[in-house]
Amino acid sequence: MKVAVITFPGSNCDADIYRVLRDQYKAEVDRIWHRDQLEKKYELVILPGGFSYGDYLRSGAMAGFSPVMKSVKEHVNKGGKLFGICNGFQILTEAEFLPGALTRNKNLKYICKTVTLKKGSSGNPVTSSLDPQKELRIPIAHADGCYFATSDVLKQLEDEGRVLFRYFGENPNGSLDAIAGITSKNFKIAGMMPHPERAMNSVTGEEDGKVVLDLILGA
């Protein structure tokens, strides 16, 4: 699989997802600087976690106007897959690839901990192979991770089966409907706040990130 990982000024998880894809999935991975364009055809483009452009204005707001996003939009228009993790999810909403917004955590604090997720919508083809009762332990690290959308958008996400994951047990940031991640209407674009690339190591005892990335890469 050919994958592009976009690096913005302030990205700090691009190397993590790059190494996971290269070493554990044996993918052909390129790191693309924000000023450049996608010059190859990729099956998947990833917007990693971090603080793109220092999260000035709002988290992810400025990245949507980055030069590289022109070719990212062309990639999407041609049917390519796009995945945003944490700050990448924020960018996807700010650039209107996905609906809603990621707002300040309800406790107004930065949260860095491992949380429990479960499958979201039963009709989402990305997670169709995932047992709805399976609990996934995945880390989060964000200050602006509270998913917000209008009631109409929330209903649309439900009706169209577009909720990717939900927080289970504890809703750490106060996201509406405990939403931890969503997909686009055609299920080619996905975003989530938790970091699957940080749960890939038996040494830490957290390996559920592989379940998540298997689904994203195989969708």
Side-chain angles (χ1 to χ4, degrees), residues 10 13 15 19 30 32 48 56 62 64-65 79 86 142 150 167 178 184 195:
C13 301
R19 284 193 294 266
D30 293 329
I32 309 298
Y56 290 113
M62 293 182 68
F65 300 97
C86 196
H142 56 249
T150 65
Y167 298 108
S184 60
H195 286 267

Side-chain angles (χ1 to χ4, degrees), residues 1-86:
M1 171 176 276
K2 293 183 179 180
V3 184
V5 176
I6 309 300
T7 301
F8 301 95
S11 295
N12 62 15
C13 301
D14 50 323
D16 298 340
I17 189 65
Y18 172 84
R19 284 193 294 266
V20 165
L21 293 171
R22 181 195 65 187
D23 299 342
Q24 299 193 40
Y25 286 92
K26 308 304 179 185
E28 181 181 328
V29 193
D30 293 329
R31 293 170 71 178
I32 309 298
W33 185 233
H34 72 119
R35 291 181 179 174
D36 299 328
Q37 298 292 316
L38 301 176
E39 296 180 352
K40 300 179 185 177
K41 182 177 181 180
Y42 295 97
E43 296 166 75
L44 174 66
V45 173
I46 294 180
L47 307 181
F51 304 91
S52 56
Y53 298 96
D55 277 347
Y56 290 113
L57 299 182
R58 294 180 307 278
S59 296
M62 293 182 68
F65 300 97
S66 179
V68 74
M69 296 304 286
K70 177 182 178 181
S71 57
V72 170
K73 290 177 181 177
E74 291 172 354
H75 164 81
V76 168
N77 289 338
K78 293 177 182 177
K81 294 193 296 183
L82 179 61
F83 180 42
I85 304 170
C86 196

Side-chain angles (χ1 to χ4, degrees), residues 3-181:
V3 184
V5 176
I6 309 300
T7 301
F8 301 95
S11 295
N12 62 15
C13 301
D14 50 323
D16 298 340
I17 189 65
Y18 172 84
R19 284 193 294 266
V20 165
L21 293 171
R22 181 195 65 187
D23 299 342
Q24 299 193 40
Y25 286 92
K26 308 304 179 185
E28 181 181 328
V29 193
D30 293 329
R31 293 170 71 178
I32 309 298
W33 185 233
H34 72 119
R35 291 181 179 174
D36 299 328
Q37 298 292 316
L38 301 176
E39 296 180 352
K40 300 179 185 177
K41 182 177 181 180
Y42 295 97
E43 296 166 75
L44 174 66
V45 173
I46 294 180
L47 307 181
F51 304 91
S52 56
Y53 298 96
D55 277 347
Y56 290 113
L57 299 182
R58 294 180 307 278
S59 296
M62 293 182 68
F65 300 97
S66 179
V68 74
M69 296 304 286
K70 177 182 178 181
S71 57
V72 170
K73 290 177 181 177
E74 291 172 354
H75 164 81
V76 168
N77 289 338
K78 293 177 182 177
K81 294 193 296 183
L82 179 61
F83 180 42
I85 304 170
C86 196
N87 189 232
F89 186 16
Q90 295 164 343
I91 294 169
L92 290 177
T93 59
E94 288 286 345
E96 299 184 349
F97 284 100
L98 292 174
L102 281 308
T103 63
R104 187 55 51 99
N105 297 339
K106 288 299 184 183
N107 65 2
L108 303 181
K109 296 180 180 180
Y110 182 89
I111 304 173
C112 184
K113 61 190 291 187
T114 297
V115 300
T116 303
L117 306 180
K118 274 193 172 183
K119 178 178 180 174
S121 301
S122 60
N124 194 310
V126 179
T127 56
S128 61
S129 62
L130 185 63
D131 183 342
Q133 299 306 315
K134 185 173 180 58
E135 299 178 14
L136 301 172
R137 298 282 291 165
I138 308 289
I140 59 171
H142 56 249
D144 299 310
C146 176
Y147 183 76
F148 175 84
T150 65
S151 57
D152 288 345
V153 168
L154 292 173
K155 183 178 185 303
Q156 183 180 33
L157 292 174
E158 288 293 343
D159 291 347
E160 296 176 352
R162 292 168 55 187
V163 179
L164 186 64
F165 294 107
R166 282 192 169 91
Y167 298 108
F168 177 71
E170 176 193 12
N171 183 347
N173 47 40
S175 291
L176 294 182
D177 290 351
I179 288 174

